[in-house]
Amino acid sequence: FVDSGDEETWKHLCTYEWEEGAGGDLKHVSSIDVEYPPSFPQLISAYEKAPDFTHFIECFAATLDYILASSNFEVVRSASTLSFDDMKEHVAMPNEFMASDHISLVADLSYSIHSNCWLNDV
């Protein structure tokens, strides 16, 4: 299953059934719905467009990792990520060139104190 970027991964994970014998005694995986309180800060992503994937194995590729920051940060730049074409010669991660089953996300952020920030009142 490959995530197409339209949140299909999460819909899939809500109803995923393990194949017989896989995952031990666990037969059904369900996700939880998380509701954040209004006081929870607005977050920005370090990537304008989410990477095609951050986790890649033979039967599953999806974006599972993100860099999020509060509005006090500005994204200066983000490192490029692998594409599906880059992974064609590799069956999965980790492999002889990639030591993890997740790619690294890297971004430079700059911090600024906004005039409405509580720190200005200290």
Side-chain angles (χ1 to χ4, degrees), residues 3 9-10 13 53-55 60-66 102 105:
D3 185 17
T9 296
W10 305 115
L13 291 177
F53 60 89
T54 60
H55 177 73
F60 180 80
T63 301
L64 303 178
D65 306 291
Y66 299 87
H102 291 257
L105 297 180

Side-chain angles (χ1 to χ4, degrees), residues 35-97:
E35 291 187 30
Y36 298 104
S39 60
F40 195 82
Q42 292 290 319
L43 300 176
I44 61 168
S45 174
Y47 284 81
E48 188 173 333
K49 178 188 174 298
D52 291 336
F53 60 89
T54 60
H55 177 73
F56 192 98
I57 59 174
E58 188 173 7
C59 60
F60 180 80
T63 301
L64 303 178
D65 306 291
Y66 299 87
I67 297 176
L68 301 174
S70 69
S71 60
N72 292 62
F73 289 89
E74 181 179 322
V75 178
V76 176
R77 63 181 167 240
S78 306
S80 61
T81 59
L82 298 169
S83 69
F84 287 112
D85 287 339
D86 296 329
M87 290 303 298
K88 280 184 180 174
E89 64 185 86
H90 307 288
V91 175
M93 299 183 328
N95 58 51
E96 64 272 16
F97 301 105

